[in-house]
Amino acid sequence: QVQLVESGGGLVQAGGSLRLSCAASGSIFSINPMGWYRQAPGKQRELVAVITGGGSTNVADSVKDRFTISRDNAENTAYLQMNSLKPEDTAVYYCNVKLVGKDWRRYEYWGQGTQVTVSS
């Protein structure tokens, strides 16, 4: 059993910053990768950023100059630092992890989602 706990969403004015956290715990052998997705009303869920255990990242072009993904492997935690937020960043942000459990089986988990609202 694995739990994902997301935190850090909220309401911010355009140009502001937020930092999202996603902490994984439970029967985990290894996690690779960890990522963030978002879904705005009426739109499909889209990739925001993903990071491997070795620190390689893939960040969506729409946020590349403003968002930074990082992770603490020892704490099984991923972070998304969001700067210069725009109203179009408003969405529910979901953490996603792909991992190997202590039973040596592969699993994929989604967080419960955290709302990010950027006002103009």
Side-chain angles (χ1 to χ4, degrees), residues 3-11 17-24 34-37 68 70 75-82 91-96 110-116:
Q3 297 78 40
L4 292 183
V5 177
E6 298 179 14
S7 61
L11 173 65
S17 298
L18 286 173
R19 188 190 196 209
L20 306 183
S21 299
C22 173
M34 302 182 78
W36 292 94
Y37 291 72
T68 302
S70 61
E75 298 294 330
N76 288 333
T77 300
Y79 303 97
L80 185 68
Q81 178 66 44
M82 305 184 293
V92 178
Y93 284 69
Y94 296 92
C95 177
N96 175 269
W110 289 91
Q112 79 279 8
T114 185
Q115 177 71 46
V116 172

PDB file of all heavy atoms in Angstrom, residues 3-11 17-24 34-37 68 70 75-82 91-96 110-116:
ATOM      1  N   GLN A   3       0.806   5.609  -0.167  1.00  0.00           N
ATOM      2  CA  GLN A   3       0.026   6.839  -0.026  1.00  0.00           C
ATOM      3  C   GLN A   3       0.785   7.995  -0.665  1.00  0.00           C
ATOM      4  O   GLN A   3       1.994   8.097  -0.537  1.00  0.00           O
ATOM      5  CB  GLN A   3      -0.228   7.163   1.446  1.00  0.00           C
ATOM      6  CG  GLN A   3      -1.056   6.137   2.184  1.00  0.00           C
ATOM      7  CD  GLN A   3      -0.247   4.894   2.571  1.00  0.00           C
ATOM      8  OE1 GLN A   3       0.905   4.998   2.972  1.00  0.00           O
ATOM      9  NE2 GLN A   3      -0.849   3.726   2.418  1.00  0.00           N
ATOM     10  N   LEU A   4       0.058   8.855  -1.371  1.00  0.00           N
ATOM     11  CA  LEU A   4       0.591  10.099  -1.910  1.00  0.00           C
ATOM     12  C   LEU A   4      -0.123  11.251  -1.236  1.00  0.00           C
ATOM     13  O   LEU A   4      -1.354  11.285  -1.229  1.00  0.00           O
ATOM     14  CB  LEU A   4       0.373  10.191  -3.423  1.00  0.00           C
ATOM     15  CG  LEU A   4       1.137   9.248  -4.326  1.00  0.00           C
ATOM     16  CD1 LEU A   4       0.832   9.555  -5.784  1.00  0.00           C
ATOM     17  CD2 LEU A   4       2.632   9.325  -4.074  1.00  0.00           C
ATOM     18  N   VAL A   5       0.639  12.173  -0.718  1.00  0.00           N
ATOM     19  CA  VAL A   5       0.050  13.341  -0.077  1.00  0.00           C
ATOM     20  C   VAL A   5       0.561  14.583  -0.778  1.00  0.00           C
ATOM     21  O   VAL A   5       1.769  14.843  -0.800  1.00  0.00           O
ATOM     22  CB  VAL A   5       0.395  13.398   1.417  1.00  0.00           C
ATOM     23  CG1 VAL A   5      -0.179  14.666   2.043  1.00  0.00           C
ATOM     24  CG2 VAL A   5      -0.140  12.153   2.133  1.00  0.00           C
ATOM     25  N   GLU A   6      -0.368  15.324  -1.363  1.00  0.00           N
ATOM     26  CA  GLU A   6      -0.030  16.561  -2.043  1.00  0.00           C
ATOM     27  C   GLU A   6      -0.346  17.749  -1.141  1.00  0.00           C
ATOM     28  O   GLU A   6      -1.286  17.714  -0.353  1.00  0.00           O
ATOM     29  CB  GLU A   6      -0.849  16.701  -3.329  1.00  0.00           C
ATOM     30  CG  GLU A   6      -0.605  15.615  -4.353  1.00  0.00           C
ATOM     31  CD  GLU A   6      -1.476  15.816  -5.578  1.00  0.00           C
ATOM     32  OE1 GLU A   6      -2.053  16.903  -5.730  1.00  0.00           O
ATOM     33  OE2 GLU A   6      -1.580  14.879  -6.379  1.00  0.00           O
ATOM     34  N   SER A   7       0.424  18.792  -1.316  1.00  0.00           N
ATOM     35  CA  SER A   7       0.144  20.021  -0.582  1.00  0.00           C
ATOM     36  C   SER A   7       0.700  21.203  -1.346  1.00  0.00           C
ATOM     37  O   SER A   7       1.518  21.029  -2.261  1.00  0.00           O
ATOM     38  CB  SER A   7       0.758  19.964   0.822  1.00  0.00           C
ATOM     39  OG  SER A   7       2.161  19.831   0.752  1.00  0.00           O
ATOM     40  N   GLY A   8       0.236  22.385  -0.975  1.00  0.00           N
ATOM     41  CA  GLY A   8       0.828  23.604  -1.502  1.00  0.00           C
ATOM     42  C   GLY A   8      -0.021  24.394  -2.479  1.00  0.00           C
ATOM     43  O   GLY A   8       0.379  25.475  -2.894  1.00  0.00           O
ATOM     44  N   GLY A   9      -1.160  23.883  -2.878  1.00  0.00           N
ATOM     45  CA  GLY A   9      -1.993  24.640  -3.796  1.00  0.00           C
ATOM     46  C   GLY A   9      -2.652  25.817  -3.104  1.00  0.00           C
ATOM     47  O   GLY A   9      -2.512  26.007  -1.888  1.00  0.00           O
ATOM     48  N   GLY A  10      -3.358  26.625  -3.882  1.00  0.00           N
ATOM     49  CA  GLY A  10      -4.052  27.755  -3.292  1.00  0.00           C
ATOM     50  C   GLY A  10      -4.381  28.811  -4.305  1.00  0.00           C
ATOM     51  O   GLY A  10      -4.317  28.578  -5.524  1.00  0.00           O
ATOM     52  N   LEU A  11      -4.740  29.973  -3.803  1.00  0.00           N
ATOM     53  CA  LEU A  11      -5.097  31.121  -4.628  1.00  0.00           C
ATOM     54  C   LEU A  11      -3.966  32.128  -4.589  1.00  0.00           C
ATOM     55  O   LEU A  11      -3.478  32.485  -3.503  1.00  0.00           O
ATOM     56  CB  LEU A  11      -6.391  31.748  -4.099  1.00  0.00           C
ATOM     57  CG  LEU A  11      -6.837  33.068  -4.729  1.00  0.00           C
ATOM     58  CD1 LEU A  11      -7.183  32.870  -6.198  1.00  0.00           C
ATOM     59  CD2 LEU A  11      -8.020  33.643  -3.965  1.00  0.00           C
ATOM     60  N   SER A  17       3.873  33.234  -6.765  1.00  0.00           N
ATOM     61  CA  SER A  17       4.532  31.930  -6.737  1.00  0.00           C
ATOM     62  C   SER A  17       3.821  30.979  -5.784  1.00  0.00           C
ATOM     63  O   SER A  17       3.207  31.410  -4.801  1.00  0.00           O
ATOM     64  CB  SER A  17       5.989  32.072  -6.281  1.00  0.00           C
ATOM     65  OG  SER A  17       6.736  32.874  -7.172  1.00  0.00           O
ATOM     66  N   LEU A  18       3.926  29.708  -6.106  1.00  0.00           N
ATOM     67  CA  LEU A  18       3.470  28.643  -5.230  1.00  0.00           C
ATOM     68  C   LEU A  18       4.441  27.489  -5.339  1.00  0.00           C
ATOM     69  O   LEU A  18       5.100  27.319  -6.370  1.00  0.00           O
ATOM     70  CB  LEU A  18       2.073  28.149  -5.622  1.00  0.00           C
ATOM     71  CG  LEU A  18       0.869  29.036  -5.291  1.00  0.00           C
ATOM     72  CD1 LEU A  18      -0.394  28.447  -5.926  1.00  0.00           C
ATOM     73  CD2 LEU A  18       0.683  29.181  -3.795  1.00  0.00           C
ATOM     74  N   ARG A  19       4.504  26.687  -4.296  1.00  0.00           N
ATOM     75  CA  ARG A  19       5.334  25.482  -4.313  1.00  0.00           C
ATOM     76  C   ARG A  19       4.476  24.290  -3.922  1.00  0.00           C
ATOM     77  O   ARG A  19       3.919  24.255  -2.829  1.00  0.00           O
ATOM     78  CB  ARG A  19       6.501  25.615  -3.343  1.00  0.00           C
ATOM     79  CG  ARG A  19       7.519  24.483  -3.454  1.00  0.00           C
ATOM     80  CD  ARG A  19       8.489  24.556  -2.307  1.00  0.00           C
ATOM     81  NE  ARG A  19       9.689  23.757  -2.536  1.00  0.00           N
ATOM     82  CZ  ARG A  19      10.397  23.194  -1.560  1.00  0.00           C
ATOM     83  NH1 ARG A  19      10.016  23.356  -0.306  1.00  0.00           N
ATOM     84  NH2 ARG A  19      11.473  22.485  -1.840  1.00  0.00           N
ATOM     85  N   LEU A  20       4.380  23.337  -4.824  1.00  0.00           N
ATOM     86  CA  LEU A  20       3.634  22.117  -4.558  1.00  0.00           C
ATOM     87  C   LEU A  20       4.585  21.027  -4.063  1.00  0.00           C
ATOM     88  O   LEU A  20       5.733  20.950  -4.496  1.00  0.00           O
ATOM     89  CB  LEU A  20       2.920  21.628  -5.812  1.00  0.00           C
ATOM     90  CG  LEU A  20       1.997  22.628  -6.520  1.00  0.00           C
ATOM     91  CD1 LEU A  20       1.317  21.942  -7.710  1.00  0.00           C
ATOM     92  CD2 LEU A  20       0.988  23.217  -5.579  1.00  0.00           C
ATOM     93  N   SER A  21       4.072  20.186  -3.172  1.00  0.00           N
ATOM     94  CA  SER A  21       4.830  19.038  -2.674  1.00  0.00           C
ATOM     95  C   SER A  21       4.017  17.776  -2.864  1.00  0.00           C
ATOM     96  O   SER A  21       2.792  17.795  -2.774  1.00  0.00           O
ATOM     97  CB  SER A  21       5.156  19.207  -1.193  1.00  0.00           C
ATOM     98  OG  SER A  21       5.932  20.344  -0.950  1.00  0.00           O
ATOM     99  N   CYS A  22       4.715  16.687  -3.103  1.00  0.00           N
ATOM    100  CA  CYS A  22       4.074  15.372  -3.228  1.00  0.00           C
ATOM    101  C   CYS A  22       4.961  14.375  -2.495  1.00  0.00           C
ATOM    102  O   CYS A  22       6.077  14.109  -2.932  1.00  0.00           O
ATOM    103  CB  CYS A  22       3.921  14.980  -4.679  1.00  0.00           C
ATOM    104  SG  CYS A  22       3.337  13.285  -4.931  1.00  0.00           S
ATOM    105  N   ALA A  23       4.449  13.840  -1.411  1.00  0.00           N
ATOM    106  CA  ALA A  23       5.211  12.894  -0.597  1.00  0.00           C
ATOM    107  C   ALA A  23       4.612  11.508  -0.726  1.00  0.00           C
ATOM    108  O   ALA A  23       3.414  11.325  -0.521  1.00  0.00           O
ATOM    109  CB  ALA A  23       5.210  13.335   0.864  1.00  0.00           C
ATOM    110  N   ALA A  24       5.454  10.553  -1.066  1.00  0.00           N
ATOM    111  CA  ALA A  24       5.027   9.155  -1.199  1.00  0.00           C
ATOM    112  C   ALA A  24       5.536   8.358  -0.012  1.00  0.00           C
ATOM    113  O   ALA A  24       6.671   8.535   0.425  1.00  0.00           O
ATOM    114  CB  ALA A  24       5.558   8.558  -2.490  1.00  0.00           C
ATOM    115  N   MET A  34       8.847  10.694 -10.942  1.00  0.00           N
ATOM    116  CA  MET A  34       7.796  11.437 -10.265  1.00  0.00           C
ATOM    117  C   MET A  34       7.441  12.625 -11.139  1.00  0.00           C
ATOM    118  O   MET A  34       8.332  13.200 -11.775  1.00  0.00           O
ATOM    119  CB  MET A  34       8.239  11.933  -8.880  1.00  0.00           C
ATOM    120  CG  MET A  34       8.688  10.837  -7.938  1.00  0.00           C
ATOM    121  SD  MET A  34       9.139  11.446  -6.295  1.00  0.00           S
ATOM    122  CE  MET A  34       7.503  11.685  -5.573  1.00  0.00           C
ATOM    123  N   GLY A  35       6.171  12.963 -11.182  1.00  0.00           N
ATOM    124  CA  GLY A  35       5.793  14.034 -12.078  1.00  0.00           C
ATOM    125  C   GLY A  35       4.548  14.766 -11.619  1.00  0.00           C
ATOM    126  O   GLY A  35       3.867  14.349 -10.687  1.00  0.00           O
ATOM    127  N   TRP A  36       4.305  15.867 -12.315  1.00  0.00           N
ATOM    128  CA  TRP A  36       3.113  16.674 -12.070  1.00  0.00           C
ATOM    129  C   TRP A  36       2.338  16.824 -13.373  1.00  0.00           C
ATOM    130  O   TRP A  36       2.925  17.066 -14.440  1.00  0.00           O
ATOM    131  CB  TRP A  36       3.498  18.055 -11.548  1.00  0.00           C
ATOM    132  CG  TRP A  36       4.083  18.020 -10.175  1.00  0.00           C
ATOM    133  CD1 TRP A  36       5.395  17.959  -9.831  1.00  0.00           C
ATOM    134  CD2 TRP A  36       3.366  18.038  -8.944  1.00  0.00           C
ATOM    135  NE1 TRP A  36       5.552  17.930  -8.468  1.00  0.00           N
ATOM    136  CE2 TRP A  36       4.310  17.982  -7.889  1.00  0.00           C
ATOM    137  CE3 TRP A  36       2.013  18.096  -8.610  1.00  0.00           C
ATOM    138  CZ2 TRP A  36       3.945  17.984  -6.548  1.00  0.00           C
ATOM    139  CZ3 TRP A  36       1.656  18.099  -7.279  1.00  0.00           C
ATOM    140  CH2 TRP A  36       2.603  18.044  -6.261  1.00  0.00           C
ATOM    141  N   TYR A  37       1.044  16.674 -13.283  1.00  0.00           N
ATOM    142  CA  TYR A  37       0.120  16.897 -14.378  1.00  0.00           C
ATOM    143  C   TYR A  37      -0.913  17.918 -13.900  1.00  0.00           C
ATOM    144  O   TYR A  37      -1.084  18.116 -12.703  1.00  0.00           O
ATOM    145  CB  TYR A  37      -0.586  15.607 -14.779  1.00  0.00           C
ATOM    146  CG  TYR A  37       0.317  14.582 -15.430  1.00  0.00           C
ATOM    147  CD1 TYR A  37       1.269  13.889 -14.681  1.00  0.00           C
ATOM    148  CD2 TYR A  37       0.233  14.300 -16.785  1.00  0.00           C
ATOM    149  CE1 TYR A  37       2.105  12.952 -15.269  1.00  0.00           C
ATOM    150  CE2 TYR A  37       1.056  13.364 -17.385  1.00  0.00           C
ATOM    151  CZ  TYR A  37       1.995  12.700 -16.617  1.00  0.00           C
ATOM    152  OH  TYR A  37       2.814  11.776 -17.208  1.00  0.00           O
ATOM    153  N   THR A  68       9.863  24.843 -11.931  1.00  0.00           N
ATOM    154  CA  THR A  68      11.012  23.971 -11.697  1.00  0.00           C
ATOM    155  C   THR A  68      10.566  22.761 -10.887  1.00  0.00           C
ATOM    156  O   THR A  68       9.922  22.918  -9.840  1.00  0.00           O
ATOM    157  CB  THR A  68      12.116  24.710 -10.939  1.00  0.00           C
ATOM    158  OG1 THR A  68      12.521  25.868 -11.683  1.00  0.00           O
ATOM    159  CG2 THR A  68      13.330  23.800 -10.745  1.00  0.00           C
ATOM    160  N   SER A  70      11.748  19.346  -8.765  1.00  0.00           N
ATOM    161  CA  SER A  70      12.881  18.771  -8.043  1.00  0.00           C
ATOM    162  C   SER A  70      12.366  17.633  -7.178  1.00  0.00           C
ATOM    163  O   SER A  70      11.151  17.445  -7.044  1.00  0.00           O
ATOM    164  CB  SER A  70      13.575  19.838  -7.191  1.00  0.00           C
ATOM    165  OG  SER A  70      12.677  20.357  -6.228  1.00  0.00           O
ATOM    166  N   GLU A  75      13.476  11.242   0.847  1.00  0.00           N
ATOM    167  CA  GLU A  75      12.147  11.465   1.434  1.00  0.00           C
ATOM    168  C   GLU A  75      11.024  11.060   0.486  1.00  0.00           C
ATOM    169  O   GLU A  75       9.851  11.223   0.833  1.00  0.00           O
ATOM    170  CB  GLU A  75      11.990  12.931   1.820  1.00  0.00           C
ATOM    171  CG  GLU A  75      12.976  13.406   2.871  1.00  0.00           C
ATOM    172  CD  GLU A  75      12.752  12.731   4.212  1.00  0.00           C
ATOM    173  OE1 GLU A  75      11.587  12.374   4.515  1.00  0.00           O
ATOM    174  OE2 GLU A  75      13.736  12.540   4.952  1.00  0.00           O
ATOM    175  N   ASN A  76      11.377  10.533  -0.690  1.00  0.00           N
ATOM    176  CA  ASN A  76      10.358  10.164  -1.690  1.00  0.00           C
ATOM    177  C   ASN A  76       9.380  11.311  -1.933  1.00  0.00           C
ATOM    178  O   ASN A  76       8.154  11.115  -1.968  1.00  0.00           O
ATOM    179  CB  ASN A  76       9.589   8.908  -1.256  1.00  0.00           C
ATOM    180  CG  ASN A  76      10.430   7.651  -1.365  1.00  0.00           C
ATOM    181  OD1 ASN A  76      11.350   7.583  -2.183  1.00  0.00           O
ATOM    182  ND2 ASN A  76      10.134   6.668  -0.555  1.00  0.00           N
ATOM    183  N   THR A  77       9.934  12.492  -2.080  1.00  0.00           N
ATOM    184  CA  THR A  77       9.111  13.694  -2.228  1.00  0.00           C
ATOM    185  C   THR A  77       9.528  14.470  -3.477  1.00  0.00           C
ATOM    186  O   THR A  77      10.720  14.623  -3.731  1.00  0.00           O
ATOM    187  CB  THR A  77       9.240  14.589  -0.993  1.00  0.00           C
ATOM    188  OG1 THR A  77       8.805  13.853   0.157  1.00  0.00           O
ATOM    189  CG2 THR A  77       8.387  15.837  -1.137  1.00  0.00           C
ATOM    190  N   ALA A  78       8.530  14.922  -4.216  1.00  0.00           N
ATOM    191  CA  ALA A  78       8.767  15.762  -5.377  1.00  0.00           C
ATOM    192  C   ALA A  78       8.179  17.144  -5.108  1.00  0.00           C
ATOM    193  O   ALA A  78       7.187  17.285  -4.386  1.00  0.00           O
ATOM    194  CB  ALA A  78       8.121  15.155  -6.615  1.00  0.00           C
ATOM    195  N   TYR A  79       8.810  18.132  -5.713  1.00  0.00           N
ATOM    196  CA  TYR A  79       8.377  19.513  -5.532  1.00  0.00           C
ATOM    197  C   TYR A  79       8.180  20.153  -6.909  1.00  0.00           C
ATOM    198  O   TYR A  79       8.899  19.842  -7.856  1.00  0.00           O
ATOM    199  CB  TYR A  79       9.424  20.312  -4.761  1.00  0.00           C
ATOM    200  CG  TYR A  79       9.763  19.732  -3.420  1.00  0.00           C
ATOM    201  CD1 TYR A  79      10.873  18.914  -3.266  1.00  0.00           C
ATOM    202  CD2 TYR A  79       8.980  20.004  -2.303  1.00  0.00           C
ATOM    203  CE1 TYR A  79      11.200  18.370  -2.038  1.00  0.00           C
ATOM    204  CE2 TYR A  79       9.297  19.458  -1.068  1.00  0.00           C
ATOM    205  CZ  TYR A  79      10.401  18.646  -0.939  1.00  0.00           C
ATOM    206  OH  TYR A  79      10.719  18.103   0.277  1.00  0.00           O
ATOM    207  N   LEU A  80       7.239  21.074  -6.975  1.00  0.00           N
ATOM    208  CA  LEU A  80       7.051  21.876  -8.178  1.00  0.00           C
ATOM    209  C   LEU A  80       7.027  23.333  -7.747  1.00  0.00           C
ATOM    210  O   LEU A  80       6.068  23.784  -7.118  1.00  0.00           O
ATOM    211  CB  LEU A  80       5.761  21.505  -8.906  1.00  0.00           C
ATOM    212  CG  LEU A  80       5.544  22.213 -10.241  1.00  0.00           C
ATOM    213  CD1 LEU A  80       6.569  21.729 -11.276  1.00  0.00           C
ATOM    214  CD2 LEU A  80       4.128  21.985 -10.773  1.00  0.00           C
ATOM    215  N   GLN A  81       8.102  24.030  -8.051  1.00  0.00           N
ATOM    216  CA  GLN A  81       8.172  25.460  -7.768  1.00  0.00           C
ATOM    217  C   GLN A  81       7.608  26.215  -8.957  1.00  0.00           C
ATOM    218  O   GLN A  81       8.122  26.085 -10.075  1.00  0.00           O
ATOM    219  CB  GLN A  81       9.617  25.886  -7.513  1.00  0.00           C
ATOM    220  CG  GLN A  81       9.788  27.373  -7.249  1.00  0.00           C
ATOM    221  CD  GLN A  81       9.140  27.818  -5.954  1.00  0.00           C
ATOM    222  OE1 GLN A  81       9.272  27.150  -4.935  1.00  0.00           O
ATOM    223  NE2 GLN A  81       8.434  28.938  -5.983  1.00  0.00           N
ATOM    224  N   MET A  82       6.554  26.979  -8.710  1.00  0.00           N
ATOM    225  CA  MET A  82       5.865  27.686  -9.781  1.00  0.00           C
ATOM    226  C   MET A  82       6.013  29.181  -9.555  1.00  0.00           C
ATOM    227  O   MET A  82       5.524  29.709  -8.549  1.00  0.00           O
ATOM    228  CB  MET A  82       4.388  27.289  -9.812  1.00  0.00           C
ATOM    229  CG  MET A  82       4.165  25.784  -9.927  1.00  0.00           C
ATOM    230  SD  MET A  82       2.427  25.335 -10.079  1.00  0.00           S
ATOM    231  CE  MET A  82       1.821  25.807  -8.465  1.00  0.00           C
ATOM    232  N   ALA A  91      -5.661  25.385 -12.554  1.00  0.00           N
ATOM    233  CA  ALA A  91      -6.006  23.992 -12.826  1.00  0.00           C
ATOM    234  C   ALA A  91      -5.915  23.201 -11.527  1.00  0.00           C
ATOM    235  O   ALA A  91      -5.415  23.709 -10.514  1.00  0.00           O
ATOM    236  CB  ALA A  91      -5.050  23.380 -13.855  1.00  0.00           C
ATOM    237  N   VAL A  92      -6.360  21.975 -11.595  1.00  0.00           N
ATOM    238  CA  VAL A  92      -6.068  21.019 -10.530  1.00  0.00           C
ATOM    239  C   VAL A  92      -4.769  20.320 -10.904  1.00  0.00           C
ATOM    240  O   VAL A  92      -4.639  19.802 -12.022  1.00  0.00           O
ATOM    241  CB  VAL A  92      -7.196  19.991 -10.347  1.00  0.00           C
ATOM    242  CG1 VAL A  92      -6.823  18.990  -9.248  1.00  0.00           C
ATOM    243  CG2 VAL A  92      -8.502  20.692 -10.006  1.00  0.00           C
ATOM    244  N   TYR A  93      -3.833  20.324  -9.997  1.00  0.00           N
ATOM    245  CA  TYR A  93      -2.520  19.732 -10.238  1.00  0.00           C
ATOM    246  C   TYR A  93      -2.446  18.377  -9.535  1.00  0.00           C
ATOM    247  O   TYR A  93      -2.763  18.263  -8.343  1.00  0.00           O
ATOM    248  CB  TYR A  93      -1.423  20.663  -9.735  1.00  0.00           C
ATOM    249  CG  TYR A  93      -1.195  21.844 -10.644  1.00  0.00           C
ATOM    250  CD1 TYR A  93      -2.146  22.847 -10.771  1.00  0.00           C
ATOM    251  CD2 TYR A  93      -0.037  21.946 -11.407  1.00  0.00           C
ATOM    252  CE1 TYR A  93      -1.963  23.925 -11.623  1.00  0.00           C
ATOM    253  CE2 TYR A  93       0.171  23.031 -12.261  1.00  0.00           C
ATOM    254  CZ  TYR A  93      -0.795  24.003 -12.357  1.00  0.00           C
ATOM    255  OH  TYR A  93      -0.604  25.062 -13.212  1.00  0.00           O
ATOM    256  N   TYR A  94      -2.014  17.379 -10.289  1.00  0.00           N
ATOM    257  CA  TYR A  94      -1.957  16.011  -9.784  1.00  0.00           C
ATOM    258  C   TYR A  94      -0.511  15.511  -9.791  1.00  0.00           C
ATOM    259  O   TYR A  94       0.200  15.644 -10.785  1.00  0.00           O
ATOM    260  CB  TYR A  94      -2.789  15.078 -10.665  1.00  0.00           C
ATOM    261  CG  TYR A  94      -4.258  15.373 -10.673  1.00  0.00           C
ATOM    262  CD1 TYR A  94      -4.813  16.211 -11.622  1.00  0.00           C
ATOM    263  CD2 TYR A  94      -5.104  14.791  -9.728  1.00  0.00           C
ATOM    264  CE1 TYR A  94      -6.178  16.479 -11.644  1.00  0.00           C
ATOM    265  CE2 TYR A  94      -6.469  15.049  -9.746  1.00  0.00           C
ATOM    266  CZ  TYR A  94      -6.990  15.898 -10.700  1.00  0.00           C
ATOM    267  OH  TYR A  94      -8.340  16.150 -10.712  1.00  0.00           O
ATOM    268  N   CYS A  95      -0.142  14.904  -8.705  1.00  0.00           N
ATOM    269  CA  CYS A  95       1.141  14.218  -8.629  1.00  0.00           C
ATOM    270  C   CYS A  95       0.981  12.814  -9.210  1.00  0.00           C
ATOM    271  O   CYS A  95      -0.059  12.162  -9.026  1.00  0.00           O
ATOM    272  CB  CYS A  95       1.577  14.141  -7.175  1.00  0.00           C
ATOM    273  SG  CYS A  95       3.109  13.240  -6.896  1.00  0.00           S
ATOM    274  N   ASN A  96       2.000  12.363  -9.905  1.00  0.00           N
ATOM    275  CA  ASN A  96       1.999  11.012 -10.467  1.00  0.00           C
ATOM    276  C   ASN A  96       3.336  10.350 -10.165  1.00  0.00           C
ATOM    277  O   ASN A  96       4.382  10.968 -10.340  1.00  0.00           O
ATOM    278  CB  ASN A  96       1.784  11.082 -11.973  1.00  0.00           C
ATOM    279  CG  ASN A  96       1.902   9.724 -12.644  1.00  0.00           C
ATOM    280  OD1 ASN A  96       2.980   9.328 -13.083  1.00  0.00           O
ATOM    281  ND2 ASN A  96       0.804   9.017 -12.717  1.00  0.00           N
ATOM    282  N   TRP A 110      -1.694   8.094  -8.503  1.00  0.00           N
ATOM    283  CA  TRP A 110      -2.025   9.504  -8.685  1.00  0.00           C
ATOM    284  C   TRP A 110      -2.387  10.103  -7.333  1.00  0.00           C
ATOM    285  O   TRP A 110      -3.039   9.453  -6.508  1.00  0.00           O
ATOM    286  CB  TRP A 110      -3.226   9.657  -9.626  1.00  0.00           C
ATOM    287  CG  TRP A 110      -2.920   9.335 -11.044  1.00  0.00           C
ATOM    288  CD1 TRP A 110      -3.036   8.129 -11.672  1.00  0.00           C
ATOM    289  CD2 TRP A 110      -2.432  10.247 -12.033  1.00  0.00           C
ATOM    290  NE1 TRP A 110      -2.647   8.229 -12.975  1.00  0.00           N
ATOM    291  CE2 TRP A 110      -2.272   9.524 -13.237  1.00  0.00           C
ATOM    292  CE3 TRP A 110      -2.119  11.608 -12.022  1.00  0.00           C
ATOM    293  CZ2 TRP A 110      -1.823  10.117 -14.417  1.00  0.00           C
ATOM    294  CZ3 TRP A 110      -1.667  12.182 -13.196  1.00  0.00           C
ATOM    295  CH2 TRP A 110      -1.520  11.448 -14.379  1.00  0.00           C
ATOM    296  N   GLY A 111      -1.959  11.331  -7.116  1.00  0.00           N
ATOM    297  CA  GLY A 111      -2.387  12.055  -5.941  1.00  0.00           C
ATOM    298  C   GLY A 111      -3.832  12.489  -6.055  1.00  0.00           C
ATOM    299  O   GLY A 111      -4.461  12.344  -7.098  1.00  0.00           O
ATOM    300  N   GLN A 112      -4.343  13.038  -4.966  1.00  0.00           N
ATOM    301  CA  GLN A 112      -5.749  13.430  -4.939  1.00  0.00           C
ATOM    302  C   GLN A 112      -6.013  14.727  -5.690  1.00  0.00           C
ATOM    303  O   GLN A 112      -7.168  15.052  -5.982  1.00  0.00           O
ATOM    304  CB  GLN A 112      -6.215  13.576  -3.472  1.00  0.00           C
ATOM    305  CG  GLN A 112      -5.807  14.865  -2.780  1.00  0.00           C
ATOM    306  CD  GLN A 112      -4.393  14.848  -2.247  1.00  0.00           C
ATOM    307  OE1 GLN A 112      -3.607  13.930  -2.501  1.00  0.00           O
ATOM    308  NE2 GLN A 112      -4.048  15.870  -1.466  1.00  0.00           N
ATOM    309  N   GLY A 113      -4.958  15.439  -6.019  1.00  0.00           N
ATOM    310  CA  GLY A 113      -5.108  16.697  -6.741  1.00  0.00           C
ATOM    311  C   GLY A 113      -5.140  17.881  -5.795  1.00  0.00           C
ATOM    312  O   GLY A 113      -5.716  17.799  -4.706  1.00  0.00           O
ATOM    313  N   THR A 114      -4.523  18.953  -6.213  1.00  0.00           N
ATOM    314  CA  THR A 114      -4.544  20.189  -5.431  1.00  0.00           C
ATOM    315  C   THR A 114      -4.879  21.349  -6.369  1.00  0.00           C
ATOM    316  O   THR A 114      -4.324  21.450  -7.466  1.00  0.00           O
ATOM    317  CB  THR A 114      -3.210  20.409  -4.695  1.00  0.00           C
ATOM    318  OG1 THR A 114      -3.308  21.560  -3.846  1.00  0.00           O
ATOM    319  CG2 THR A 114      -2.046  20.589  -5.655  1.00  0.00           C
ATOM    320  N   GLN A 115      -5.791  22.179  -5.936  1.00  0.00           N
ATOM    321  CA  GLN A 115      -6.266  23.278  -6.786  1.00  0.00           C
ATOM    322  C   GLN A 115      -5.279  24.446  -6.755  1.00  0.00           C
ATOM    323  O   GLN A 115      -4.870  24.887  -5.671  1.00  0.00           O
ATOM    324  CB  GLN A 115      -7.636  23.757  -6.316  1.00  0.00           C
ATOM    325  CG  GLN A 115      -8.194  24.944  -7.098  1.00  0.00           C
ATOM    326  CD  GLN A 115      -8.608  24.578  -8.507  1.00  0.00           C
ATOM    327  OE1 GLN A 115      -9.269  23.573  -8.741  1.00  0.00           O
ATOM    328  NE2 GLN A 115      -8.212  25.408  -9.480  1.00  0.00           N
ATOM    329  N   VAL A 116      -4.936  24.916  -7.923  1.00  0.00           N
ATOM    330  CA  VAL A 116      -4.152  26.142  -8.072  1.00  0.00           C
ATOM    331  C   VAL A 116      -5.012  27.134  -8.854  1.00  0.00           C
ATOM    332  O   VAL A 116      -5.444  26.829  -9.976  1.00  0.00           O
ATOM    333  CB  VAL A 116      -2.828  25.884  -8.808  1.00  0.00           C
ATOM    334  CG1 VAL A 116      -2.132  27.199  -9.128  1.00  0.00           C
ATOM    335  CG2 VAL A 116      -1.923  24.987  -7.968  1.00  0.00           C
TER     336      VAL A 116
END
